[in-house]
Amino acid sequence: MHHFRGITGRITFQLVAIVTITIMITAAIGYTKLYEVTETNASIRIDRAARAAVSIFTLKLPTEYEAIYDQAGDPLAVRLKGDTADSSLIFRDDYDLLLKSIGATNQGAANLFKLNMDTNAFDRFSTTFRKPDGTMPPPMSIQSGHPAYDNIINNRPHLGEVPVMGRMRLAYLTPVQFPNGQVAGALAVDVGWVDDLIAARDELRSTIIFYSILILLLVAAFGIIRMSKELLPLRSLAKFATDLAQGNTEQEVPFKSRKDEVGILAQSINHVAELQNKLAYLAYTDELTSLGNRSNYLGLLDRAIEESHTTDNGWILMHVDIDGFKQINDMHGQIFGDVILKKVSETIISVIGKNADVSRLASDEFTILIEENLSEKQTTALSHKLVDVFSKPIMINTIEIFLTISLGTTFLKYHAETADEAHRNTNLALRKAKDNGGDQFVYYASDMNDTLQGQMRLERYLQSAIADREIEIHFQPQINPMTNTLTGLEALARWNHATEGPISPTQFIPIAEASGLIVDLGTLVIDLACEQAAAWRKEGFDFKHIAVNVSPIQLWQGNFINVVKDMIEKHGILGSDICVEITEGIFVDHTEIRVTNILNALRELGVMLSLDDFGMGYSSLGYLNRLPFDQLKIDRSFVSGIDKDHRKQHVLQGVISLGKGLHLNVVVEGTETLEEVDTVRDIGCDSIQGFYYAKPTTAKQIPHIVEKIEGSALAFSPNDLRKVLKK
Ligand code: C2E
Ligand code: CA
Ligand code: CA
């Protein structure tokens, strides 16, 4: 039925309409012409018939009747002659004969009527309508209401259609008059031939209607059949385009070689199909290595999981990562790094062969999906081969690059239900290989997931802890060892979970960083620190400044500066009440200009800047000179056991004089014993932050503790102080 909708239906409808109008116009013209002709013919004929009737009548009965004509010669009446007339006007044989010859002459019927003076009706008394046996038909009268009655009762001839034997016929009725001219009856003639003419005309009308309908049906059928046939290619092209949109690009576009509109459309669709193929290629290909990209990997992984669980095909998923690629990149630059990535991808392909699908997800993360049902032994051999192939250095422009890779492997049939799980588990195995020192492969094992589950649970807990502001901060004093006076306080995040108990920041901070929660956590810590600063200012406790730890991820949030600014304003404190501690991690992946910009922006708020954990990272000393730090915090690893280690003392001496040389305030972290404090103080630094003086504690206790430390300053040596503090 769809043919009647759309183009086919519309055009067929229009065709039918046009043909209908054409037929109607021609038929109407023809019919009108014929109508006119029959009309004229009929009146001429009836006129002649009337004249003939009157002539025959009066010539055959010359003694009884005379004819009266008008000027044009049309009969006006047949009049009875005075003396000879038999005015009885009743049935006579000669009347009948007369009517018969009139009828024969006119090829029609003839009737004689007599006016009945009692009823004023004209009663028939003679007729050509005899029954086959010669008897008279039933009596008939022309009465008031008959089309001819008015004319003849008023003594006028009548020409027009009258009912004759149940049909309308064209008739001419001539009054029959008494000798005195009064109406006595009527002589009526009609012409059968005229009837035929009209019948023919009517038949023509039916014929026209019949053939019109036939032609219309033919046109409609033709239209529908032809149009649907012509439009059929459009329908299949439309279907093709729909398939194309659904990503089915395998087939060839049909009708491309046609030269008509269909061909043009097909060629256009072909262009789209080609473009789609190109886009699909780009969408699934890694530009740098021409391996598959993440989308390719994810699509294939879905299939691999499906097949691993529904067929005998057990797929194997490997994650590959270059050990220490970041350093290589940093050392040689990104362009060089790209060349290495290409080389590595080629090397992987050369080992794995064509049976596997290798993709690159990001940076140096490669994935390998192997469709073959490899045994564990075969997989192990292959993994060995992959790891070992990198024992030879890679040559790039005469530079020898030594690199190793780590590999995590999962048998999808046994160790992954979903694509997500496959990816996660394989990545866990890779992490394990990395944690073990790299240059090796590790199979996924279910206990790896337990660790992850624990971390994920902690992540969930942490999220609500941050939202419910269950994170607190404790403070650890920084003390000038020469004067035993407070120089500042470091705020340290504390989390006491309702069921898990206290959780160390060394545990939850990395989780917060990995999950992005660090941004909200960091904001909360800044908020709490500023709040405390305001409270202490109000109380009149001089805390010098509060140092907050800011993780690089948090720092690189676009709105970090605003967060700090808002918090300072919100609590009505000074920028200089706050110190931001940053680790060398901010230099990873960021240019010196960006680092300088953000540090300067912080500085403009009056905030003090401290470089935390100095000496832990791989940082170059160059930037220390150029970046706007105020303070250097020397890591605990430099001081633990320093009193017994001369080498350490020399190193610390060097580091401190470097800091001093750069006019930086130097804080030494993590002094636990009196001996360490003494040694550090003798080497000379601005402040010491360590358990010896105080462990991190609640804000409430801080003024008391600080008072104790400072109060003992003059009275006691640090050694004595320990005794005081222990009491
Ligand atoms: P950090 O910034 O180096 O903080 C100093 C850490 O050394 C604190 O550990 C402190 O309790 C500890 N410490 C101080 N004196 C001594 C000592 O004499 N001996 C020993 N063994 N340790 C000492 P904590 O509080 O467990 O924090 C660990 C790390 O967690 C911090 O190291 C910091 O990197 C991170 N952290 C803590 N709070 C926050 C925070 O609010 N934001 C961020 N981003 N990191 C935080
Ligand atoms: Ca710190
Ligand atoms: Ca530190």
Side-chain angles (χ1 to χ4, degrees):
M1 280 326 269
H2 56 246
H3 293 310
F4 296 107
R5 276 176 270 127
I7 298 179
T8 310
R10 261 199 324 274
I11 294 191
T12 305
F13 178 77
Q14 286 165 4
L15 263 177
V16 168
I18 290 170
V19 172
T20 311
I21 292 168
T22 316
I23 291 177
M24 269 165 56
I25 292 172
T26 37
I29 292 173
Y31 186 75
T32 324
K33 268 278 164 256
L34 187 65
Y35 193 93
E36 276 171 15
V37 169
T38 41
E39 268 323 78
T40 355
N41 258 298
S43 48
I44 291 171
R45 251 340 260 250
I46 198 69
D47 195 61
R48 285 183 190 162
R51 290 182 192 208
V54 167
S55 308
I56 291 171
F57 202 82
T58 49
L59 284 175
K60 285 276 167 114
L61 298 171
T63 51
E64 282 183 83
Y65 293 95
E66 61 175 335
I68 297 173
Y69 298 98
D70 68 4
Q71 280 156 340
D74 284 331
L76 285 175
V78 184
R79 189 174 290 173
L80 285 161
K81 283 189 174 166
D83 27 4
T84 50
D86 172 6
S87 57
S88 54
L89 289 180
I90 47 165
F91 175 75
R92 279 177 10 203
D93 273 338
D94 58 344
Y95 278 148
D96 245 27
L97 281 169
L98 210 48
L99 290 186
K100 217 175 195 163
S101 61
I102 288 171
T105 312
N106 285 340
Q107 291 173 305
N111 292 286
L112 268 172
F113 296 88
K114 172 190 166 66
L115 177 64
N116 183 331
M117 293 303 172
D118 300 326
T119 59
N120 258 355
F122 293 85
D123 299 328
R124 184 165 66 188
F125 63 90
S126 188
T127 180
T128 45
F129 291 121
R130 287 303 186 103
K131 290 192 181 161
D133 64 358
T135 57
M136 279 287 278
M140 181 258 167
S141 303
I142 296 172
Q143 299 167 333
S144 162
H146 186 281
Y149 183 76
D150 273 357
N151 273 333
I152 8 185
I153 195 76
N154 288 314
N155 217 346
R156 291 193 298 265
H158 175 82
L159 194 161
E161 294 209 332
V162 295
V164 180
M165 305 290 279
R167 308 165 45 185
M168 293 303 279
R169 291 191 137 198
L170 194 60
Y172 197 108
L173 287 87
T174 317
V176 176
Q177 295 174 343
F178 291 116
N180 63 5
Q182 273 185 332
V183 63
L187 169 63
V189 285
D190 62 51
V191 197
W193 181 84
V194 172
D195 246 22
D196 296 343
L197 206 58
I198 290 168
R201 192 180 71 192
D202 291 346
E203 199 183 306
L204 176 72
R205 196 173 52 199
S206 326
T207 314
I208 286 174
I209 291 172
F210 173 77
Y211 281 104
S212 302
I213 291 172
L214 193 70
I215 289 171
L216 290 179
L217 287 176
L218 282 173
V219 166
F222 175 83
I224 288 165
I225 293 167
R226 282 299 295 149
M227 295 286 294
S228 342
K229 193 155 172 279
E230 288 290 321
L231 293 180
L232 213 58
L234 291 187
R235 287 185 185 274
S236 42
L237 279 177
K239 191 182 170 301
F240 186 91
T242 310
D243 288 351
L244 193 65
Q246 280 158 3
N248 184 356
T249 53
E250 310 296 70
Q251 296 152 286
E252 271 280 300
V253 183
F255 311 116
K256 261 189 316 205
S257 50
R258 272 175 67 157
K259 291 278 175 289
D260 56 2
E261 290 86 343
V262 172
I264 293 169
L265 183 61
Q267 284 147 27
S268 312
I269 291 178
N270 193 44
H271 287 149
V272 177
E274 280 169 7
L275 193 68
Q276 181 142 325
N277 280 331
K278 223 177 272 171
L279 285 175
Y281 176 80
L282 288 178
Y284 292 106
T285 310
D286 170 48
E287 219 179 316
L288 177 66
T289 59
S290 300
L291 298 174
N293 62 7
R294 181 176 285 271
S295 304
N296 174 67
Y297 162 69
L298 291 178
L300 205 64
L301 187 56
D302 278 339
R303 208 187 101 197
I305 281 289
E306 162 105 30
E307 276 187 18
S308 294
H309 292 294
T310 54
T311 69
D312 287 340
N313 255 7
W315 289 60
I316 290 161
L317 172 61
M318 295 179 173
H319 280 190
V320 183
D321 197 293
I322 303 170
D323 299 326
F325 181 69
K326 210 171 225 92
Q327 273 88 324
I328 298 175
N329 231 358
D330 286 349
M331 197 147 54
H332 300 281
Q334 198 181 331
I335 296 170
F336 194 84
D338 284 353
V339 178
I340 289 179
L341 289 173
K342 265 194 223 170
K343 264 271 188 305
V344 168
S345 79
E346 284 159 18
T347 312
I348 293 174
I349 295 275
S350 73
V351 174
I352 288 289
K354 291 261 174 275
N355 284 2
D357 193 277
V358 185
S359 302
R360 186 172 76 108
L361 305 194
S363 171
D364 61 330
E365 296 169 37
F366 295 89
T367 62
I368 304 168
L369 269 161
I370 304 169
E371 193 175 346
E372 256 172 302
N373 237 337
L374 295 186
S375 68
E376 183 165 345
K377 207 170 145 198
Q378 289 170 309
T379 312
T380 304
L382 187 64
S383 304
H384 265 306
K385 216 171 143 194
L386 255 177
V387 172
D388 292 346
V389 74
F390 289 100
S391 58
K392 276 185 282 161
I394 291 178
M395 288 294 293
I396 294 167
N397 307 337
T398 71
I399 302 176
E400 278 190 336
I401 299 290
F402 286 90
L403 55 81
T404 56
I405 61 160
S406 295
L407 190 63
T409 304
T410 305
F411 290 93
L412 299 189
K413 215 183 191 70
Y414 311 112
H415 288 306
E417 291 293 328
T418 63
D420 216 39
E421 207 179 6
H423 181 82
R424 233 179 23 238
N425 290 350
T426 314
N427 208 254
L428 275 178
L430 173 67
R431 290 288 136 233
K432 186 85 183 169
K434 289 245 160 197
D435 289 348
N436 292 351
D439 193 19
Q440 58 185 278
F441 66 90
V442 168
Y443 281 115
Y444 166 78
S446 50
D447 63 340
M448 294 175 189
N449 234 320
D450 298 343
T451 321
L452 184 81
Q453 297 279 308
Q455 278 178 359
M456 274 167 39
R457 200 182 58 222
L458 217 56
E459 188 183 314
R460 272 200 315 278
Y461 289 161
L462 184 60
Q463 186 161 24
S464 50
I466 295 167
D468 302 343
R469 291 174 83 93
E470 280 167 17
I471 305 286
E472 294 172 25
I473 46 175
H474 281 188
F475 298 88
Q476 188 177 26
Q478 297 164 345
I479 305 293
N480 178 334
M482 304 303 291
T483 59
N484 274 2
T485 49
L486 182 74
T487 55
L489 293 163
E490 178 173 10
L492 293 155
R494 290 293 176 263
W495 180 21
N496 194 353
H497 189 264
T499 53
E500 310 267 317
I503 301 167
S504 161
T506 52
Q507 207 181 341
F508 69 78
I509 293 292
I511 290 175
E513 284 177 333
S515 61
L517 288 171
I518 190 70
V519 178
D520 287 340
L521 174 67
T523 307
L524 175 59
V525 168
I526 296 173
D527 193 7
L528 292 172
C530 293
E531 186 182 46
Q532 190 56 56
W536 275 333
R537 281 276 172 257
K538 222 170 132 200
E539 282 170 32
F541 170 63
D542 186 11
F543 57 87
K544 308 292 183 198
H545 62 252
I546 296 177
V548 287
N549 293 284
V550 171
S551 140
I553 300 165
Q554 191 187 346
L555 193 85
W556 290 122
Q557 286 292 305
N559 65 345
F560 177 71
I561 299 295
N562 282 336
V563 169
V564 176
K565 194 168 164 241
D566 290 351
M567 291 302 173
I568 289 171
E569 278 169 12
K570 176 177 160 192
H571 295 288
I573 57 168
L574 300 173
S576 56
D577 289 340
I578 297 296
C579 169
V580 164
E581 290 192 9
I582 304 160
T583 61
E584 291 162 333
I586 48 159
F587 304 114
V588 175
D589 287 345
H590 293 280
T591 60
E592 197 178 305
I593 298 169
R594 281 200 70 191
V595 176
T596 309
N597 285 346
I598 195 142
L599 294 185
N600 279 333
L602 276 172
R603 263 227 155 157
E604 267 165 39
L605 299 175
V607 170
M608 199 176 147
L609 296 178
S610 177
L611 183 63
D612 201 359
D613 299 342
F614 182 72
M616 290 281 283
Y618 68 103
S619 46
S620 98
L621 294 175
Y623 62 73
L624 255 189
N625 189 18
R626 296 191 291 269
L627 296 178
F629 281 107
D630 302 288
Q631 188 182 67
L632 209 60
K633 288 187 86 174
I634 296 166
D635 191 72
R636 185 169 107 80
S637 56
F638 285 85
V639 289
S640 55
I642 194 165
D643 48 309
K644 291 169 234 105
D645 188 337
H646 285 283
R647 235 180 58 101
K648 256 192 175 168
Q649 290 169 17
H650 286 300
V651 173
L652 185 67
Q653 200 151 31
V655 174
I656 289 178
S657 50
L658 171 88
K660 293 261 163 234
L662 294 170
H663 304 291
L664 293 170
N665 180 287
V666 179
V667 180
V668 174
E669 280 190 291
T671 47
E672 294 182 352
T673 64
L674 172 67
E675 293 74 24
E676 284 171 6
V677 171
D678 284 340
T679 316
V680 171
R681 187 192 52 220
D682 291 346
I683 291 172
C685 66
D686 298 301
S687 311
I688 287 178
Q689 179 186 341
F691 289 175
Y692 174 75
Y693 281 113
K695 287 197 169 175
T697 185
T698 56
K700 211 169 146 225
Q701 305 215 17
I702 286 294
H704 175 65
I705 288 178
V706 169
E707 197 184 344
K708 257 190 180 173
I709 297 170
E710 289 186 340
S712 63
L714 299 174
F716 308 99
S717 70
N719 196 13
D720 298 327
L721 181 70
R722 182 165 52 161
K723 291 175 200 149
V724 172
L725 290 174
K726 275 195 174 158
K727 272 178 198 158

